Amino acid sequence: MSADPPAPRAATARRDDWEEGWYAPARRCPSPNFGPRPAGASIDLAVVHSISLPPGVYGGDAIERLFTNRLDWDAHPYFQQICGLEVSAHFLVRRDGALMQFVSCDARAWHAGRSSWRGRDNCNDYSIGIELEGLEGTPFAAVQYRRLARLLRALARRYPLAEVTGHEDVAPGRKHDPGAAFSWPLLARLSGWQGAGSALQRRA
């Protein structure tokens, strides 16, 4: 008697990875800081950011608290500089590679602010915001690149994602993250995307 044919595990797993814009491998931590995307918006750009709270301090739950409007503004002197800020990103990649998601990718997270890419303003309307726990000018952990590369591949299977760039490139002069220490060539090698500098394109 012949064996049953193998089940299409890869295709099923890919479908099951997503539920209404939420990525199953990420720890879900819903933020109230989001809104609807414009009708007909094509989610075709990923924007890479860096964040640490306080700057240069890793670990803890300050980033999570900031994105969910629960940060104690008196807990550290630096927090007074951002007091009242309402912000979010779709994803956060911690220093150890742990992945968190704050906003459904179907929705508009508040991550890029005043921004433009290739002549299109308001990048929040059509982009996915990915924060890396880190500080501008400081190298990121190898595991963060691997996690980011896997995430980009997963996003590209779900959405018409075509490019990835840095916050500093969509808001030049106003923002400087992820900074010069971020290795775009390494991300290109790990993800299989291609391009020069900080503008990578998905391979056809």
Side-chain angles (χ1 to χ4, degrees):
M1 184 174 180
S2 61
D4 292 334
R9 291 189 300 268
T12 301
R14 288 180 180 180
R15 286 196 298 269
D16 291 347
D17 274 350
W18 294 95
E19 180 183 358
E20 297 182 346
W22 293 93
Y23 184 47
R27 180 165 74 85
R28 191 182 300 195
C29 185
S31 168
N33 301 329
F34 72 94
R37 295 188 187 272
S42 178
I43 304 171
D44 54 20
L45 176 68
V47 178
V48 177
H49 305 252
S50 63
I51 186 172
S52 55
L53 287 178
V57 176
Y58 305 139
D61 62 357
I63 300 172
E64 178 178 342
R65 287 182 174 276
L66 174 66
F67 287 171
T68 55
N69 298 345
R70 298 181 295 114
L71 185 63
D72 179 359
W73 307 115
D74 296 321
H76 189 277
Y78 174 78
F79 297 163
Q80 288 298 313
Q81 298 181 38
I82 58 172
C83 184
L85 182 66
E86 294 185 345
V87 67
S88 64
H90 292 94
F91 295 98
L92 169 67
V93 181
R94 305 301 300 252
R95 298 296 291 186
D96 62 0
L99 184 65
M100 301 178 67
Q101 184 172 2
F102 296 89
V103 175
S104 163
C105 293
D106 294 344
R108 181 183 188 274
W110 302 347
H111 62 96
R114 189 176 68 256
S115 54
S116 179
W117 181 245
R118 302 200 187 282
R120 292 188 296 167
D121 293 337
N122 302 317
C123 292
N124 286 347
D125 290 347
Y126 54 88
S127 68
I128 301 290
I130 305 171
E131 295 273 6
L132 303 181
E133 187 177 23
L135 185 67
E136 297 162 17
T138 300
F140 294 87
V143 68
Q144 290 181 288
Y145 288 99
R146 294 194 295 270
R147 172 63 80 175
L148 176 57
R150 289 197 298 271
L151 177 58
L152 288 173
R153 290 194 293 269
L155 286 166
R157 290 194 295 266
R158 177 73 175 183
Y159 299 96
L161 205 66
E163 292 186 285
V164 56
T165 192
H167 196 190
E168 59 198 328
D169 296 293
V170 302
R174 187 176 66 84
K175 293 295 182 178
H176 306 281
D177 57 310
F182 183 81
S183 177
W184 290 98
L186 176 57
L187 178 61
R189 290 196 298 273
L190 292 172
S191 65
W193 289 35
Q194 60 190 351
S198 56
L200 303 184
Q201 292 83 38
R202 180 185 178 190
R203 292 181 185 271

